[in-house]
Every structure is written in structure tokens, then in C-alpha cells.
Amino acid sequence: MMNRAASKLIKTNITSFEASLLRGATESSLSPLYGVLCRGFSSKNVTAAAADRRLAGRRRFYKNVGIAPTMAPTKPDENRDNSIQSPISAGVDGTQSATGVTTSVRDSSKWTSRLNPNNHDNNNKNEWYSVTLDGRAIRTPLGLPFTLPSPALALAVASEWDSQKTYLQPAQMPIMTLCCTAIDQVASDPTAHQEDIIRYLRNDTSCYWADPTEDRVLYRKQSQAWEELHETVSSELLELPDDLGPAQAVGGSDALLISRKSDGNKMSGLPHPPLLVEKAKKWVDSLDAWTLTALYSACAESKSFFIAAAMVFEATQHAKGECKVTTRDPKWAVQAARVEEEFNIEMWARL
């Protein structure tokens, strides 16, 4: 069983690899990808063998949970002896049960570099860990090595396994789900996640403001939550000129007008400056699988590229020692994403 000393290590300093991943998972009770990826686990479209491997509702089959040092990921087809396959995400049942799901690793070198971008750095001394059930290392749904880049992240996943009681409930294992997504899906082919993240930019929640002449209280709350947010992402992360920022819609009529397709706006959504979109794509494409998974999860939960990017950027800066105090944590992200909803609850109560 996990002892108290080990559990406390989960909150210790974390390397840049998994800082964003843990922050992105902390406030979410379930990875936003989980529902999409698990379509294939309905009884109608899975094979009998796949159905037998499902975790949900299965009795706990292990006594002790632990972590063990292991090698960094080098190739997806490593020896599978003495390991436990753990089908916590879908798309691995031999059927095309969900769109955008990777069922195999086409390029092992790219898969490795996305999980471990410092693989060729001789000064890279990061230790990797696996999670064990009764001494046997677990594997991902695709059968890939479940290797994590720090003991803190491994202990976080181990604590989720250890918290399972009589029956296993994958919905209560969000960090495990995110890690499987990073290893099986994002590291294999990040294209779908990268494109989806940019789509959130064109319809960003934090870019739709109330008209101050119609509702000055809501406008003030939005200003307090979002004004410095846009400045941080635009200047510090994307390094845009001071006079260049995201497009913003003020009031309902303005939002409808500028979001429509037109000669000047070939795609529906906010017409952000091309340089902003270009730099946002460049930054997203540069992220490793762990950080990209965290960013995608945060975007899906907050419906905002700017809120997610600010949280992930500050988390990685803090992990590198370049930011001493983090103010944009998951709690902040939830509040920033729910400005209008919380305002309506204050005004009209919860229905």
C-alpha cells in the first residue's frame, strides 16, 4: 500500500515534463478525451476479448501498488514479459470505434522524441519510473510501456490505483487516463490534438466581452479575470508586438458580426491577427506529448486557448525555476472560464 511519506512526494517539485500534465489533471474529475475515446467500449461494437479486458466494474485484482525505476522510452515494441496490460482508454479493440484514435505507432523514433525530447542530450539525467501492481509493471491500452518521467508523476498514478476499492473505476483515475492518452495517442500522432487546440483560439471564451454600456458589472468581472491574461499570452508566450493582440467581440451583436464568414474573415470565428495565429501554431507544434496533452485537456475544459495556454506556460516556467510563484493554477483557470456562469448564478441563482 502507498504510505503517507510516499503520498506526500506527489506534491514535491516536478520537472518540466509533467508539471503541466499534473496541473491540467488536478481539477478535472475526468479527462475530456475519456468520453470520446471510450465510445468503442460499448457492448455492441467490441470483440469478446476486448470486452473481457475492460477495467470498469472489474474487481480489484491486486494487493500492493508501487513504483519502480525503469528505462526511458526507446521503442514501442519492448519486451512485454512480466507486465500487466491496462485498457483504460479506447480505440485498441481492433475496431474503428472512435474517430481520431491511433491504434498503432507508425514512426517509433518520432514517438520516442515526443515523449522524451531530451533523449539525445548527454546532460539529460531525468529518471523514468513505472507503476507496478504486485510487482508487475502496467502497460498502456496499446500495450506500450507505461513509463513516466519522474517519481512524482508515477506516485500520483500509483495513488489512483491504490485508491480503488472493491471495483475498479477508471473515471476516478484522471491522471492515469491523461498519461495513457499522452503515450498512446498524442506521442503517436499529435496532429488531431494540435488542430483542435487552434480551433479553440478562433472561438475563445475570454475574447467575448459584455457591452459595458449594457452590463457594466459583468464587464468589470471579465476585465479582472481576462485583461492581464491576454497581455501575458500575447507578450510573454507568443512574443507579439505591444500593439498586437487577440480580436475581441464586445456585446452580442458585435460577436455575431465579426465571427461570421466574410471576405476579410475566410473562416468562421474571431478574426485574430495572422501573426498571432501563426505564433500560436508554432508554439503548440513545439510541445512534447506530455505538455500537449495537458494543454488540450485544459482547452477542452475551459473552452479557451488563452486560459489554458497561460496556465500551462506558467506551470512549465515554474518547473524550470523561471517563475517562483504560480498564480494561474487550475483553481484560477476554473474561475476564469466560469466568469459569466458564476455571474448569472449570483444574479439569478442556480437553476
Side-chain angles (χ1 to χ4, degrees), residues 137-194:
I138 63 175
R139 301 185 73 87
T140 70
L142 283 184
L144 303 177
F146 188 80
T147 54
L148 304 174
S150 84
L153 185 55
L155 283 167
V157 174
S159 68
E160 289 185 338
W161 281 96
D162 197 46
S163 66
Q164 302 300 302
K165 303 303 180 183
T166 306
Y167 296 97
L168 301 183
Q169 301 182 51
Q172 296 180 356
M173 304 170 72
I175 301 180
M176 174 68 186
T177 303
L178 284 172
C179 289
C180 285
T181 300
I183 297 170
D184 278 357
Q185 304 299 321
V186 180
S188 300
D189 186 1
T191 306
H193 294 80
Q194 292 166 343

Side-chain angles (χ1 to χ4, degrees), residues 1-230:
M1 296 292 181
M2 299 285 292
N3 55 41
R4 292 183 179 179
S7 299
K8 288 181 180 179
L9 287 176
I10 297 173
K11 297 182 179 180
T12 58
N13 293 331
I14 303 167
T15 66
S16 59
F17 273 98
E18 75 282 355
S20 301
L21 185 63
L22 283 175
R23 288 181 179 275
T26 301
E27 291 295 323
S28 173
S29 61
L30 180 60
S31 167
L33 289 176
Y34 187 82
V36 175
L37 294 177
C38 281
R39 293 174 190 165
F41 276 6
S42 68
S43 59
K44 295 181 180 180
N45 61 355
V46 299
T47 62
D52 290 341
R53 294 198 309 268
R54 287 179 298 177
L55 278 179
R58 183 179 177 183
R59 278 187 173 275
R60 175 168 170 160
F61 56 90
Y62 53 90
K63 292 183 178 180
N64 300 311
V65 182
I67 66 172
T70 188
M71 296 178 61
T74 54
K75 56 182 180 179
D77 55 346
E78 295 180 19
N79 186 4
R80 302 188 182 190
D81 292 343
N82 195 33
S83 62
I84 299 174
Q85 189 165 348
S86 179
I88 199 168
S89 61
V92 296
D93 55 4
T95 69
Q96 298 300 322
S97 54
T99 59
V101 173
T102 300
T103 57
S104 63
V105 178
R106 296 184 180 90
D107 191 326
S108 60
S109 62
K110 289 183 179 180
W111 176 82
T112 300
S113 64
R114 289 171 185 139
L115 287 174
N116 186 16
N118 298 321
N119 185 41
H120 302 295
D121 185 357
N122 294 329
N123 296 322
N124 178 27
K125 298 181 180 179
N126 287 338
E127 294 182 345
W128 290 72
Y129 290 81
S130 62
V131 176
T132 61
L133 306 180
D134 293 334
R136 299 175 63 191
I138 63 175
R139 301 185 73 87
T140 70
L142 283 184
L144 303 177
F146 188 80
T147 54
L148 304 174
S150 84
L153 185 55
L155 283 167
V157 174
S159 68
E160 289 185 338
W161 281 96
D162 197 46
S163 66
Q164 302 300 302
K165 303 303 180 183
T166 306
Y167 296 97
L168 301 183
Q169 301 182 51
Q172 296 180 356
M173 304 170 72
I175 301 180
M176 174 68 186
T177 303
L178 284 172
C179 289
C180 285
T181 300
I183 297 170
D184 278 357
Q185 304 299 321
V186 180
S188 300
D189 186 1
T191 306
H193 294 80
Q194 292 166 343
E195 292 176 350
D196 282 348
I197 288 170
I198 297 302
R199 289 193 185 99
Y200 283 106
L201 178 61
R202 297 193 63 84
N203 296 281
D204 198 294
T205 297
S206 68
C207 293
Y208 290 92
W209 295 61
D211 189 333
T213 62
E214 297 177 358
D215 200 332
R216 64 179 185 274
V217 177
L218 176 57
Y219 180 82
R220 185 174 66 249
K221 289 180 177 292
Q222 291 173 330
S223 299
Q224 293 171 348
W226 298 342
E227 193 164 6
E228 293 184 3
L229 161 69
H230 291 165

Side-chain angles (χ1 to χ4, degrees), residues 318-333:
H318 178 69
K320 294 176 183 177
E322 299 176 8
C323 174
K324 294 183 179 180
V325 179
T326 57
T327 57
R328 294 189 172 96
D329 54 14
K331 183 178 180 179
W332 165 85

Side-chain angles (χ1 to χ4, degrees), residues 257-268:
L257 286 173
I258 72 172
S259 298
R260 289 176 178 173
K261 286 185 179 181
S262 62
D263 293 338
N265 186 21
K266 300 299 182 182
M267 299 175 64
S268 61

